[in-house]
Amino acid sequence: MKVYQIVWLTLCGVLGVVGASAAFARSASAMLVLFALATIGVGVVALLRLGPDYTDSMPGEMWRMVGTHSLGSGVAAVAVVGFDAMLGGRGLVLLLAVVAFSSPYVIRRYRRWLRFLLT
């Protein structure tokens, strides 16, 4: 499952770069604002979720995790706009469904569910 997760994350990274490139080709200034808002928004929500007691003594690894998720969310927001411009609404929904249902987390849940049904 670890190899599948690495391959899936790599392909999602490629999709993010392609979508972001298409979005920035249309309107770079609007996409910079969207990227900043998504990144800051996710970062603030993550830090609020952790709480003040935890963030005071938060190790470097947790700061890296919050930063990584924030940047990933910013890229994802811009990529969604780019793929909407390239594929249209129906194509975007289909792409998002394929990415979501093929995620390692969902696949892991399917395996547990099928194992439960088969026993």
Side-chain angles (χ1 to χ4, degrees), residues 31-84:
M31 292 307 107
L32 284 174
V33 170
L34 176 63
F35 176 78
L37 289 175
T39 302
I40 292 169
V42 169
V44 168
V45 168
L47 290 175
L48 288 175
R49 174 103 168 92
L50 290 173
D53 296 332
Y54 192 72
T55 54
D56 290 340
S57 62
M58 199 156 75
E61 184 175 324
M62 292 302 292
W63 283 108
R64 258 190 313 279
M65 185 179 74
V66 168
T68 303
H69 283 81
S70 298
L71 290 174
S73 298
V75 171
V78 173
V80 165
V81 171
F83 277 115
D84 184 42

